[in-house]
């Protein structure tokens, strides 16, 4: 009886040990060239059920990642390499991504993503090749809920919140807003997350004074009102954009320029044939009238005087950011 109990105990112990090994699986330290990675110290002792290295054929079935020829959803780690260098570590639980590290050739982290069990919900950090954080992002239903971008000196460059619908940029190395851009976010599997300027984009100088307000609709300014301001907040120029080139904006339909005391300087209207302008002094008294050809769409010229006035006065500073 005693011998039988000993045999049973030994069998139970063996089963327990085998079960424990199965649960613990493999430690990441067995992965070749793991030491070349920036975050080796936090990786080497991690246990995973299974390590796939090199990557074999994978396929996504019913929304779950599976190895080719296998029925069960994959749980474990997939190692992605390029010429033997580790370029990605992909952790999966029951066929769903858990977390993903992507690496530059030098072993520095390019991005780190943590996934929620809820589809389309994740957090992401992006780095440059020197290891400096350049962006933090939070996603839900595949849309960016919030995003903060940094420069190489770790200063905040831009902040975005989906609920506000605005991208806020800052003057270099300061917390002073340089622009506020009303945007609409779109998502597709092909293009990912993209932003379209839609609404008002406001620009500020380094003292926080409003400089300009550009109106956009579907990333276009053409046919919409545009404004420039004096440092004292007084409206300087009002016009309608006659083209869609923000670097070389052309006036159309109407052009009104003001002195810094609020009095009109020029009041101009465009017909199909010509521009008619009334010029005033600082006291509001009419000085005279000017006439020039209407804006020619082919070459963008509205007469020498009007070209100078409409283009260079309005855009004597660069007033826009390009979305990445």
């Amino acid at each position: 009886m005693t011998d039988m109990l000993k045999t049973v105990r030994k069998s139970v112990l063996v089963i327990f040990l085998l079960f424990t090994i199965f649960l613990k699986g493999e430690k990441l330290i067995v992965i070749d060239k793991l030491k070349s990675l920036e975050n080796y110290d936090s990786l080497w002792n991690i246990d995973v059920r299974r390590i796939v290295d090199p990557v074999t054929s994978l396929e996504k079935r019913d929304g779950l990642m599976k190895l080719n020829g296998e029925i069960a959803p994959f749980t474990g780690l997939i190692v992605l390499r390029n010429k033997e260098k580790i370029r990605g570590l992909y952790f999966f639980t029951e066929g769903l991504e858990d977390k993903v590290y992507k690496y530059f050739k030098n072993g520095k982290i390019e991005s780190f993503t943590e996934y929620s069990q809820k589809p389309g919900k994740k957090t992401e950090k992006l780095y440059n090749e020197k290891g400096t954080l350049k962006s933090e992002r939070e996603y839900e239903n595949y849309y960016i809920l919030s995003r903060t971008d940094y420069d190489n000196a770790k200063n905040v460059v831009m902040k975005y919140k989906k609920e506000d619908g605005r991208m806020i940029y800052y003057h270099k190395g300061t917390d002073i807003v340089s622009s506020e851009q009303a945007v609409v976010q779109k998502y597709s599997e092909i293009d990912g997350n993209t932003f379209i300027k839609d609404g008002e984009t406001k620009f500020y100088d380094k003292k926080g004074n409003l400089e300009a307000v550009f109106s956009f609709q579907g990333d276009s300014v053409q046919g919409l009102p545009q404004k420039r301001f004096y440092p004292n907040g007084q409206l300087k120029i009002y016009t309608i954009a006659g083209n869609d080139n923000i670097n070389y904006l052309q006036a159309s339909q109407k052009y009104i320029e003001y002195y810094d005391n609020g009095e009109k300087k020029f009041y101009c209207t465009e017909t199909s044939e010509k521009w008619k302008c009334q010029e005033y002094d600082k006291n509001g008294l009419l000085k005279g009238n000017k006439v020039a050809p209407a804006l020619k769409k082919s070459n963008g010229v509205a007469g020498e005087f009007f070209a100078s006035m409409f283009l260079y006065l309005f855009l004597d500073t660069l007033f826009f950011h390009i979305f990445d």
Side-chain angles (χ1 to χ4, degrees):
M1 185 69 175
T2 303
D3 291 339
M4 187 180 294
L5 286 173
K6 286 181 179 179
T7 302
V8 170
R9 285 172 181 168
K10 285 181 181 178
S11 299
V12 170
L13 180 59
V14 170
I15 293 171
F16 174 75
L17 289 173
L18 289 172
F19 184 67
T20 302
I21 291 171
F22 174 73
L23 284 180
K24 286 190 173 180
E26 301 178 87
K27 288 186 182 294
L28 269 58
I29 196 171
V30 303
I31 299 173
D32 185 38
K33 293 184 171 53
L34 190 74
K35 285 187 177 180
S36 67
L37 302 181
E38 174 186 11
N39 57 332
Y40 167 80
D41 289 339
S42 65
L43 292 173
W44 72 268
N45 200 34
I46 294 176
D47 279 305
V48 293
R49 186 180 299 178
R50 187 176 178 186
I51 297 174
V52 176
D53 180 18
V55 177
T56 55
S57 297
L58 299 170
E59 58 180 336
K60 203 167 189 177
R61 300 197 304 269
D62 301 324
L64 300 175
M65 189 64 70
K66 299 178 182 180
L67 294 182
N68 239 7
E70 297 189 4
I71 298 175
F74 178 73
T75 295
L77 173 69
I78 293 173
V79 182
L80 183 66
R81 296 180 183 271
N82 184 1
K83 296 181 180 179
E84 297 187 356
K85 288 183 179 290
I86 298 175
R87 301 305 300 272
L89 297 177
Y90 295 75
F91 293 82
F92 287 85
T93 300
E94 298 299 329
L96 296 174
E97 283 179 307
D98 231 355
K99 54 187 176 182
V100 174
Y101 290 95
K102 293 181 182 179
Y103 298 93
F104 291 106
K105 290 181 181 179
N106 62 5
K108 291 286 188 181
I109 298 172
E110 182 176 358
S111 67
F112 172 60
T113 307
E114 283 190 289
Y115 293 84
S116 166
Q117 293 303 307
K118 184 178 179 182
K121 186 175 177 63
K122 64 181 180 179
T123 58
E124 185 176 54
K125 292 184 179 181
L126 307 177
Y127 301 84
N128 64 22
E129 289 191 69
K130 294 183 179 180
T132 303
L133 180 66
K134 67 177 187 179
S135 187
E136 294 180 289
R137 302 173 185 187
E138 182 182 359
Y139 296 77
E140 190 170 276
N141 295 325
Y142 304 101
Y143 284 85
I144 297 175
L145 288 183
S146 64
R147 170 178 159 183
T148 303
D149 291 349
Y150 305 87
D151 62 18
N152 291 333
K154 302 179 181 179
N155 298 306
V156 175
V157 174
M158 186 276 292
K159 287 183 177 181
Y160 165 79
K161 285 189 176 181
K162 185 174 181 290
E163 63 182 4
D164 297 335
R166 292 184 303 161
M167 281 185 159
I168 300 177
Y169 287 82
Y170 297 86
H171 285 288
K172 186 176 181 178
T174 75
D175 59 357
I176 299 173
V177 174
S178 64
S179 74
E180 295 178 286
Q181 305 183 1
V183 295
V184 173
Q185 183 182 172
K186 292 190 174 183
Y187 170 80
S188 71
E189 290 187 4
I190 296 175
D191 299 322
N193 300 88
T194 56
F195 294 90
I196 295 173
K197 294 185 282 291
D198 200 271
E200 288 188 341
T201 291
K202 298 179 180 180
F203 298 91
Y204 303 86
D205 64 20
K206 291 183 178 180
K207 294 182 180 180
N209 299 313
L210 180 65
E211 286 189 309
V213 177
F214 285 164
S215 297
F216 287 85
Q217 188 172 32
D219 254 352
S220 172
V221 296
Q222 190 166 2
L224 298 173
Q226 315 300 332
K227 301 174 184 178
R228 279 288 308 276
F229 296 87
Y230 286 101
N232 65 3
Q234 175 63 48
L235 181 63
K236 181 179 182 180
I237 296 171
Y238 172 94
T239 190
I240 306 295
N243 65 338
D244 213 18
N245 185 351
I246 195 103
N247 289 302
Y248 198 62
L249 192 66
Q250 300 164 343
S252 71
Q253 303 177 48
K254 183 180 290 187
Y255 178 95
I256 307 173
E257 186 177 343
Y258 298 86
Y259 291 102
D260 58 6
N261 65 356
E263 291 289 346
K264 284 190 185 74
K265 185 176 183 179
F266 294 102
Y267 184 88
C268 309
T269 56
E270 183 189 31
T271 68
S272 59
E273 298 296 329
K274 59 188 176 183
W275 277 95
K276 292 182 178 180
C277 255
Q278 295 173 328
E279 185 178 4
Y280 298 85
D281 65 18
K282 268 200 166 185
N283 296 314
L285 298 175
L286 181 64
K287 291 172 63 176
N289 297 295
K290 294 181 180 293
V291 177
L295 182 66
K296 296 178 181 177
K297 306 300 180 185
S298 59
N299 57 21
V301 176
E304 184 178 349
F305 168 77
F306 288 92
S308 174
M309 182 173 70
F310 294 160
L311 302 177
Y312 301 114
L313 277 176
F314 195 84
L315 285 175
D316 54 8
T317 308
L318 189 62
F319 281 120
F320 75 104
H321 297 277
I322 298 176
F323 294 120
D324 60 357

